[in-house]
Amino acid sequence: MTVKIAPSLLSADFGRLREEVTAVEAAGADLLHLDVMDGHFVPNITFGPQLVAALRPHSRLLFDVHLMIAAPERYVADFIAAGADIVTVHVEACVHLHRVLAQIKEKGAACGVALNPATPLGLVEEVLPLVDLVLLMTVNPGFGGQRFLHFVVPKVNAAAIFLRDRNCQAAVEVDGGVDVTTAPVVAAAGATILVAGTAVFGAPDRAAAVRALREAAEGRDFSRGGERLGAATFRD
C-alpha cells in the first residue's frame, strides 16, 4: 500500500519559501499542498496565484492547490495558469459545483472536491465523474496546527468504500492534524494522500519527518475486513 505525503506550505517559513519547497522535495515528498485562504470562506488570509507562479520554476512536485475561498470560479484559471497541477474546491463554497469542476477540467488540471468535517459525503455523488480527488478536512479549516478531529475517521473509511462501490478511482486525501500518531489511523481508514504541515515543516530533519509519516501510515493492517479501498494511486 503506497501512501503519498503532501507537506502543507501553510506551516513553512514564509521568509524562505523557495528553500522550504526545495527541502521537502529533496526529503521525498510526493506533492506540495498549497492552502489558499481569502478571509471570507475561512478566517485567515494566505496567498494568491502570484506565489504559486513564483514557486513553480523551483520544484517538480505536483502542486496541490486547495482553494478555501468563496466563489472559486473567479480564480481557477489564474491558479492553473500559475502552475497548479491539482485544484481542489470546497462543496460549501460553490453555488454551481459541477460548473466549477468542469472549468478546472477544461483548463487542464486535475480536479478535487473538499468537504469540511460536518459536511455530508453524499453531496459529491453527482459530480464523481469529474473528480480525481476527494479531500476530507480533519480540522475546521482556517489555521494550521490544529488538533485532529477523530470523529472524521469513520467518514474517511466511508469515503473509501463510497468511491470503490461506484467504481471511482479518485484518491482520498485528508488534511488537518496529521502526524505520526494520526497518519496510521487515517491510512487504515482509507486515505491515500496525507497532508501534513507542522509534522513536516516543524521538524528539524525534513527527510526524517517525511519518512516517519510514510512508515507510520504504511505500517498498519489495511484489511479492514475487506472493506478497505484498494491501492489507489494519484498521477503516478
Side-chain angles (χ1 to χ4, degrees):
M1 176 63 195
T2 299
V3 172
K4 297 184 182 299
I5 306 299
S8 173
L9 196 68
L10 187 62
S11 297
D13 179 350
F14 272 52
R16 47 189 299 272
L17 285 181
R18 177 178 173 178
E19 293 89 342
E20 292 280 63
V21 172
T22 301
V24 294
E25 183 169 2
D30 302 291
L31 306 90
L32 182 70
H33 190 81
L34 299 103
D35 288 309
V36 179
M37 306 183 191
D38 63 357
H40 180 62
F41 179 66
V42 293
N44 197 3
I45 297 173
T46 55
F47 47 80
Q50 295 87 352
L51 181 66
V52 177
L55 293 175
R56 182 69 281 179
H58 305 296
S59 176
R60 295 183 180 181
L61 290 173
L62 290 175
F63 277 16
D64 176 21
V65 175
H66 178 193
L67 299 183
M68 289 181 273
I69 63 176
E73 64 275 7
R74 296 180 296 175
Y75 303 102
V76 162
D78 292 336
F79 279 101
I80 295 172
D85 297 293
I86 310 161
V87 176
T88 297
V89 297
H90 273 259
V91 171
E92 305 88 354
C94 296
V95 176
H96 301 291
L97 179 61
H98 185 275
R99 181 181 297 167
V100 179
L101 298 180
Q103 181 185 4
I104 295 169
K105 287 287 191 183
E106 288 166 5
K107 294 296 181 181
C111 209
V113 173
L115 300 168
N116 285 338
T119 301
L121 180 62
L123 292 181
V124 304
E125 182 154 16
E126 279 70 27
V127 298
L128 285 183
L130 290 172
V131 173
D132 299 297
L133 180 153
V134 175
L135 169 57
L136 301 178
M137 296 300 301
T138 42
V139 297
N140 287 300
F143 298 95
Q146 295 186 69
R147 183 172 297 179
F148 181 87
L149 297 175
H150 285 272
F151 74 82
V152 185
V153 174
K155 185 178 174 183
V156 176
N157 190 237
I161 297 167
F162 179 83
L163 295 173
R164 182 200 63 192
D165 289 350
R166 288 157 180 78
N167 296 313
C168 179
Q169 298 302 308
V172 178
E173 183 175 64
V174 296
D175 182 2
V178 174
D179 57 22
V180 292
T181 302
T182 56
V185 175
V186 292
T192 54
I193 302 176
L194 310 186
V195 177
T198 305
V200 175
F201 284 110
D205 185 334
R206 306 295 163 71
V210 170
R211 184 170 59 251
L213 282 169
R214 199 184 306 279
E215 290 176 353
E218 295 177 357
R220 287 283 295 265
D221 175 8
F222 296 114
S223 62
R224 303 285 294 182
E227 295 184 346
R228 174 69 167 75
L229 183 67
T233 60
F234 186 76
R235 281 197 164 193
D236 280 329

